[in-house]
């Protein structure tokens, strides 16, 4: 609606003039035109009027427009279903990510707590009778050793500290649960502006629950000297030492060192860069007061691998990404200094875009529950005919031949998609278990395993090789090193297939045990893994014959077992052949499966635009069709006709489309005045005139006074200038404003 129609609109300029401010100029650029030379009345021959259509009606080739559903009620219903599905899916993803990061940190938190307890015991044992200073009002440490503070330097291995803020908060919660007195201080508390008093006040506010006017550490000493407080360690956590002011932090450390006996404080601080960061930040006298102990936090890559494993590899949330999107997310993660927070934000935007673009995306939540077949059957039966046609009209379904385009076919197709994804997930996890021995990352293996082009090359090479089964005789056919599986030499999957043969024998039993767990739903592969476990035990029994003296009967039995396996490949060779078999037969990416568009987001251009942003174009589109953004029913009735109820800035920008690079302020104002002063009927008659002819002032009686219209005009021009769409008048041309943006 128009700002003038709202009760919060500013008072008109006529009201201000009635209050005595009669010398205010209503609009300084509206004045009589200066006399011009005759040749300046006509525009320059090279100037032409431009009107740019910024309506997003022509999507990019990579974008897939939603089908035009005829029933408006169905539109609202399925839009609500998609919103509910997104809330369910993303809440599950977000909960899983928090659980993953918490599980990674739990062992680290236990290690820190063990060190805190040992440090506290060391401080208490420094005196034979507990804390003799407790009986004295202001006991200060004089011994050099007693003045040292036990300090844990936690190296986060991350330039950006945004990922570690939650880690230090959870560390404080964990230590509090173990009975410690904990205070979390940020780098803001150690700023030059706040001084030493700022960190002391924050310390007292968290521990003593008071905020005195004059910060005094003796208040903290008196509180800790109470009987119920003195038996537990006091821990101060600083999330990032390098963001603190070195002078304030050094003064704070020197102050605490004087009270180490009275207040046995243990310091925990984060270090983001190198091990010599404290020596660069603090002076030598402050460093001498610290007794440091180094701890290493899990790297961002380790956290990323855990998130990829439980969110994108395991099909449990009803949402996935295509190969191009996965590559973009990996590059986005690496370019942002390896921050998990940036990756999660990009993943959430991809999830939002998927559920807003794909009409059938609400069916993806069927993967979350156990009764997925029942869920899909029920939901598919409720689909209208146009939705069913859209499902079988997806690009992935054009490559397949369906006998009947029915509800049962759609439900069975989604079930098959889920089954193939589970098999693909099992193979990727088996590959990753081998890659971990050689420090390979799951993110790299995932981006390669999801590539549909590699799947096509593997399939073609497989059929040319004619390798149908994993039999011992296949070794004689020359199928080594991934030749029959179509693996690209130098790829991560190819390296994993080769590295199986290089694994030490001692690591194979544990590897086969993990493989058996990952392949529980793949009966054929699971059976072959158990055969490998049996063969491994036979080889171990054969080696034990050389070291143990057995009787003739036991020796003959063991020799019989070895003779059975004589002439067969070794266990390592069979394991390598098995991993090649899994890659060839079961590593089928999602993008080559029918109906994958329902759960897979592939529009990398849309994700990139959403992350990087195109604010100028977005502002222009919103201004041209403000009623769609504001969801105004009265303004949308006019269609292409501007109504007086439209927002003033939107009216101004729509009228600006009739001009070229330069806009005459007088003509612009008269058009704006005619728009906001006319009723819809007279407005429609005015719009029927050719746009090339300038609008003339009509004799329609105006309900608004001149000053109010000029004030609204002035405010709209200022808003367009602030958004960067206009350049204000210059001294050379005081009656014209210049358009800056014409669309991108």
């Amino acid at each position: 609606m128009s700002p003038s129609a709202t009760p919060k609109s500013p008072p008109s300029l006529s009201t201000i003039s009635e209050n005595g401010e009669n010398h205010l100029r209503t609009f300084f650029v509206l004045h009589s035109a200066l006399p011009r030379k005759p040749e300046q009345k006509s525009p320059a021959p090279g100037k032409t009027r431009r009107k740019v259509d910024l309506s997003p009606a022509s999507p990019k080739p990579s974008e897939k427009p939603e089908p035009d559903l005829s029933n408006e009620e169905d539109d609202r219903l399925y839009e609500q279903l998609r919103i509910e599905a997104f809330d369910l899916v993303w809440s599950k993803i977000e909960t899983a990510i928090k659980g993953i990061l918490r599980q990674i940190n739990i062992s680290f938190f236990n290690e820190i707590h063990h060190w805190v307890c040992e440090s506290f015991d060391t401080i208490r044992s420094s005196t034979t009778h507990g804390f003799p200073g407790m009986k004295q009002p202001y006991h200060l440490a004089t011994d050099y050793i007693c003045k040292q503070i036990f300090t844990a330097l936690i190296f986060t291995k991350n330039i950006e500290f945004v990922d570690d803020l939650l880690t230090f908060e959870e560390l404080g919660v964990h230590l509090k649960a173990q009975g410690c007195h904990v205070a979390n201080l940020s780098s803001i508390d150690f700023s030059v502006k706040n001084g030493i008093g700022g960190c002391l006040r924050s310390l007292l506010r968290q521990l003593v629950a008071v905020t005195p006017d004059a910060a005094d550490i003796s208040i903290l000493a008196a509180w800790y000297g109470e009987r119920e407080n003195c038996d537990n360690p006091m821990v101060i956590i600083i999330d990032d030492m390098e963001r603190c002011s070195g002078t304030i932090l050094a003064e704070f450390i020197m102050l605490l060192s004087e009270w180490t006996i009275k207040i046995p404080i243990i310091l925990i601080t984060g270090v983001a860069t190198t091990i010599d960061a404290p020596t660069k930040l603090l002076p030598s006298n402050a460093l001498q007061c610290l007794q440091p102990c180094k701890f290493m936090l899990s790297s961002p890559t380790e956290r990323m691998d855990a998130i990829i494993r439980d969110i994108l590899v395991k099909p449990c949330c009803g949402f996935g990404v295509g190969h191009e999107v996965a590559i973009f997310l990996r590059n986005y993660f690496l370019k942002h200094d390896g921050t998990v927070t940036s990756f999660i934000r990009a993943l959430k935007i991809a999830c939002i875009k998927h559920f807003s673009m794909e009409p059938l995306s609400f069916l993806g939540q069927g993967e979350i529950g156990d009764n997925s077949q029942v869920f899909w059957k029920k939901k598919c039966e409720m689909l209208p005919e146009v939705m069913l046609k859209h499902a079988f009209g997806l690009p992935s379904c054009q490559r397949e031949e369906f006998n009947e385009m029915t509800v049962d076919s759609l439900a069975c197709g989604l079930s098959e998609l889920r089954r193939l994804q589970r098999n693909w997930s099992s193979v990727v996890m088996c590959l990753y278990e081998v890659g971990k021995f050689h420090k390979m990352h799951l993110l790299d293996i995932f981006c390669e395993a999801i590539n549909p082009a590699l799947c096509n090359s593997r399939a073609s090479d497989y059929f040319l090789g004619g390798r149908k089964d994993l039999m011992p005789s296949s070794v004689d056919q020359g199928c080594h090193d991934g030749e029959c599986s179509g693996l690209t030499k130098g790829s991560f999957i190819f390296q994993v297939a080769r590295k199986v043969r290089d694994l030490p024998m001692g690591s194979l039993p544990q590897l086969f045990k993990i493989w058996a767990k990952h392949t529980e739903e793949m009966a054929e592969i699971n059976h072959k893994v158990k055969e490998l476990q049996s063969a491994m035990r036979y080889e171990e029994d054969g080696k034990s014959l050389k070291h143990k003296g057995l009787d003739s009967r036991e020796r003959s039995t063991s020799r019989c077992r070895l003779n059975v396996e004589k002439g067969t490949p070794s266990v390592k060779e069979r394991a390598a052949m098995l991993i090649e078999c899994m890659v060839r037969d079961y590593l089928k990416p999602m993008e080559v499966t029918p109906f994958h568009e329902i759960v897979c987001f592939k529009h990398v251009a849309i994700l990139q635009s959403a992350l990087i942003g195109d604010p100028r174009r977005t502002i222009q589109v919103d201004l041209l069709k403000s009623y769609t953004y504001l969801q105004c029913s009265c303004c949308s009735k006019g269609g292409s006709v501007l109504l007086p109820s439209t927002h003033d800035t939107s009216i101004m920008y729509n009228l600006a489309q009739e001009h070229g690079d330069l806009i005459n302020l007088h003509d612009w104002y008269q058009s704006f005045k005619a728009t906001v002063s006319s009723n819809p009927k007279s407005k429609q008659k005015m719009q029927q005139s050719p746009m090339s002819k300038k609008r003339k002032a009509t004799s329609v009686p105006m309900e608004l006074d001149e000053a109010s219209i000029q004030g609204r005009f002035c405010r709209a021009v200022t808003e367009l200038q602030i958004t960067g769409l206009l350049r204000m008048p210059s001294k050379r041309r005081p009656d014209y404003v210049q358009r800056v943006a014409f669309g991108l």
Side-chain angles (χ1 to χ4, degrees):
M1 296 296 291
S2 173
S4 61
T6 59
K8 295 183 180 180
S9 59
S12 61
L13 296 179
S14 60
T15 306
I16 297 177
S17 61
E18 292 176 359
N19 294 334
E21 299 179 5
N22 299 321
H23 299 287
L24 290 177
R25 296 180 181 179
T26 56
F27 191 39
F28 67 94
V29 296
L30 290 179
H31 53 271
S32 301
L34 297 175
R36 297 176 180 270
K37 296 180 180 180
E39 63 270 18
Q40 291 181 346
K41 294 181 180 180
S42 60
K47 297 289 184 179
T48 57
R49 299 185 179 222
R50 289 193 278 176
K51 183 176 181 180
V52 181
D53 185 14
L54 295 175
S55 59
S58 57
K60 299 179 181 179
S62 60
E63 298 182 16
K64 177 174 61 59
E66 294 186 13
D68 186 12
L69 302 181
S70 58
N71 196 332
E72 187 176 351
E73 295 182 357
D74 287 345
D75 282 350
R76 296 196 189 96
L77 172 62
Y78 289 107
E79 182 180 0
Q80 183 63 28
L81 288 177
R82 295 202 304 270
I83 294 175
E84 294 175 357
F86 166 76
D87 293 337
L88 177 63
V89 170
W90 184 251
S91 63
K92 184 175 178 61
I93 293 176
E94 194 172 27
T95 303
I97 291 175
K98 291 181 179 179
I100 292 166
L101 299 179
R102 189 180 298 109
Q103 186 64 29
I104 292 175
N105 293 330
I106 191 65
S107 59
F108 174 76
F109 291 167
N110 292 332
E111 183 182 1
I112 292 291
H113 177 252
H114 180 70
W115 171 82
V116 168
C117 294
E118 288 184 349
S119 303
F120 184 66
D121 293 339
T122 303
I123 296 174
R124 298 190 66 173
S125 62
S126 60
T127 57
T128 56
H129 303 288
F131 293 102
M134 294 293 181
K135 302 178 182 179
Q136 304 176 12
Y138 299 102
H139 178 79
L140 303 179
T142 57
D143 189 18
Y144 173 76
I145 299 178
C146 296
K147 293 176 64 176
Q148 285 190 327
I149 304 172
F150 285 89
T151 305
L153 300 177
I154 301 178
F155 292 89
T156 60
K157 296 186 286 187
N158 195 357
I159 297 178
E160 291 291 336
F161 76 104
V162 62
D163 288 342
D164 304 317
L165 291 178
L166 183 61
T167 302
F168 283 102
E169 291 178 4
E170 292 182 349
L171 175 60
V173 174
H174 179 80
L175 294 178
K176 285 181 181 179
Q178 303 298 326
C180 302
H181 305 297
V182 181
N184 289 82
L185 302 181
S186 65
S187 57
I188 301 178
D189 297 323
F190 293 92
S191 62
V192 178
K193 179 181 179 181
N194 296 327
I196 187 66
C199 48
L200 286 178
R201 277 189 290 269
S202 179
L203 191 64
L204 295 174
R205 183 172 59 252
Q206 296 184 52
L207 294 176
V208 191
V210 296
T211 307
D213 297 333
D216 191 354
I217 196 172
S218 61
I219 300 176
L220 182 63
W223 173 82
Y224 190 79
E226 298 176 1
R227 185 179 299 274
E228 61 272 12
N229 299 327
C230 62
D231 292 333
N232 297 321
M234 183 181 297
V235 181
I236 298 177
I237 300 176
I238 304 174
D239 51 22
D240 194 346
M241 170 188 288
E242 295 169 89
R243 291 180 177 269
C244 301
S245 170
T247 304
I248 303 302
L249 182 59
E251 186 178 355
F252 181 72
I253 292 174
M254 296 292 294
L255 178 63
L256 295 182
S257 65
E258 299 294 338
W259 291 78
T260 50
I261 300 300
K262 188 79 173 181
I263 315 173
I265 292 178
I266 299 172
L267 193 61
I268 299 176
T269 180
V271 181
T273 56
T274 58
I275 193 172
D276 59 342
T279 59
K280 296 179 181 179
L281 180 67
L282 300 174
S284 58
N285 56 349
L287 291 173
Q288 292 176 358
C289 298
L290 302 179
Q291 189 172 345
C293 183
K294 185 175 69 173
F295 295 90
M296 303 298 293
L297 200 60
S298 59
S299 65
T301 307
E302 295 173 356
R303 302 183 191 182
M304 179 58 61
D305 285 346
I307 293 175
I308 293 294
R309 179 194 63 210
D310 290 351
I311 303 301
L312 296 179
V313 174
K314 297 181 179 179
C316 59
C317 61
F319 171 73
V321 297
H323 174 250
E324 294 183 356
V325 176
I327 294 296
F328 175 80
L329 290 176
R330 180 181 66 177
N331 296 336
Y332 190 77
F333 167 72
L334 297 176
K335 290 178 181 178
H336 284 73
D337 301 318
T339 54
V340 179
T341 304
S342 63
F343 177 85
I344 296 174
R345 180 175 62 250
L347 185 64
K348 184 174 184 179
I349 294 177
C351 188
I352 293 173
K353 292 296 182 181
H354 172 69
F355 281 92
S356 62
M357 292 176 56
E358 175 53 49
L360 295 174
S361 56
F362 64 91
L363 295 176
Q365 61 179 322
E367 291 186 354
I368 298 178
D370 297 332
N371 299 325
S372 58
Q373 185 67 26
V374 177
F375 174 83
W376 283 325
K377 181 73 172 178
K378 180 180 178 181
K379 291 294 183 182
C380 292
E381 289 177 349
M382 299 172 59
L383 292 177
E385 186 68 21
V386 65
M387 282 284 199
L388 203 59
K389 290 181 179 180
H390 168 72
F392 288 96
L394 294 172
S396 61
C397 297
Q398 302 301 319
R399 300 186 295 265
E400 301 288 338
E401 294 183 1
F402 293 93
N403 296 329
E404 296 181 357
M405 298 183 182
T406 60
V407 172
D408 294 335
S409 300
L410 177 57
C412 292
L414 293 174
S415 299
E416 180 67 10
L417 173 64
R418 185 190 187 196
R419 185 188 68 83
L420 294 176
Q421 274 302 105
R422 288 182 177 273
N423 293 342
W424 176 88
S425 173
S426 300
V427 177
V428 172
M429 291 308 301
C430 290
L431 290 170
Y432 178 55
E433 294 299 335
V434 180
K436 284 196 296 186
F437 288 99
H438 304 279
K439 297 182 180 181
M440 294 184 182
H441 300 301
L442 180 59
L443 182 59
D444 298 325
I445 297 176
F446 166 76
C447 290
E448 188 173 295
I450 205 173
N451 188 359
L454 294 178
C455 177
N456 295 334
S457 65
R458 285 195 300 267
S460 60
D461 291 347
Y462 160 61
F463 285 115
L464 289 175
R467 185 178 172 188
K468 295 292 184 180
D469 192 14
L470 182 65
M471 298 294 292
S473 60
S474 62
V475 181
D476 301 331
Q477 300 174 6
C479 295
H480 292 284
D481 299 337
E483 294 176 3
C484 296
S485 59
L487 299 178
T488 305
K489 190 172 183 179
S491 64
F492 290 101
I493 299 177
F494 178 83
Q495 295 177 29
V496 169
R498 290 182 58 90
K499 294 296 185 181
V500 174
R501 298 179 174 88
D502 302 332
L503 294 177
M505 292 296 296
S507 61
L508 291 181
Q510 181 64 22
L511 177 64
F512 294 156
K513 183 179 179 181
I514 298 176
W515 278 8
K517 181 179 179 181
H518 288 317
T519 59
E520 288 179 350
E521 298 182 2
M522 306 166 63
E524 181 182 0
I525 300 299
N526 189 263
H527 176 69
K528 293 176 181 179
V529 172
K530 292 181 178 179
E531 289 181 354
L532 288 177
Q533 291 178 315
S534 301
M536 189 69 192
R537 287 192 293 267
Y538 290 158
E539 285 195 7
E540 292 177 352
D541 292 343
K543 292 180 180 180
S544 64
L545 291 176
K546 300 179 181 180
H547 304 285
K548 295 182 180 180
L550 301 177
D551 54 23
S552 58
R553 188 173 182 179
E554 293 177 350
R555 188 172 301 173
S556 61
T557 304
S558 300
R559 285 176 180 174
C560 291
R561 293 180 179 177
L562 294 177
N563 290 333
V564 173
E565 300 296 330
K566 189 176 182 180
T568 61
S570 63
V571 175
K572 288 184 180 181
E573 188 68 26
R574 294 177 64 184
M577 292 157 52
L578 177 60
I579 198 68
E580 291 178 15
C581 175
M582 288 191 288
V583 170
R584 183 187 67 246
D585 297 339
Y586 296 96
L587 196 64
K588 189 175 182 180
M590 182 188 300
E591 291 186 72
V592 300
T593 310
F595 304 111
H596 73 269
E597 292 91 347
I598 296 177
V599 296
C600 179
F601 179 74
K602 303 188 300 180
H603 308 288
V604 64
I606 296 176
L607 176 61
Q608 184 176 4
S609 176
L611 287 171
I612 299 176
D614 193 359
R616 179 171 290 183
R617 177 181 174 84
T618 303
I619 291 173
Q620 294 177 78
V621 173
D622 292 341
L623 285 174
L624 290 175
K625 295 187 177 181
S626 60
Y627 57 86
T628 59
Y629 184 81
L630 299 175
Q631 298 181 356
C632 181
S633 59
C634 61
C635 299
S636 61
K637 295 178 181 178
S640 60
V641 180
L642 290 176
L643 299 178
S645 59
T646 309
H647 195 278
D648 289 344
T649 311
S650 179
I651 295 176
M652 292 284 290
Y653 194 70
N654 277 275
L655 294 174
Q657 303 303 303
E658 303 176 8
H659 300 266
D661 293 350
L662 298 177
I663 305 175
N664 185 282
L665 284 170
H666 182 75
D667 296 340
W668 201 17
Y669 171 73
Q670 292 298 332
S671 301
F672 175 75
K673 177 181 176 181
T675 302
V676 299
S677 303
S678 62
N679 53 45
K681 293 183 180 180
S682 63
K683 184 68 178 178
Q684 292 177 3
K685 293 180 181 179
M686 187 184 301
Q687 285 285 357
Q688 293 175 0
S689 61
M691 297 183 64
S692 59
K693 298 181 179 180
K694 295 183 179 180
R695 302 177 188 271
K696 298 181 179 180
T698 59
S699 59
V700 179
M702 297 190 307
E703 299 179 359
L704 301 174
D705 55 80
E706 188 78 12
S708 176
I709 297 177
Q710 291 186 13
R712 291 167 58 181
F713 180 82
C714 182
R715 181 173 58 183
V717 172
T718 306
E719 290 178 355
L720 291 176
Q721 180 199 14
I722 293 173
T723 55
L725 302 178
L726 285 181
R727 186 176 291 126
M728 296 301 284
S730 61
K731 294 182 179 179
R732 182 180 178 184
R733 290 183 172 178
D735 296 332
Y736 287 86
V737 294
Q738 183 178 1
R739 293 177 62 188
V740 177
F742 290 90
L744 301 175

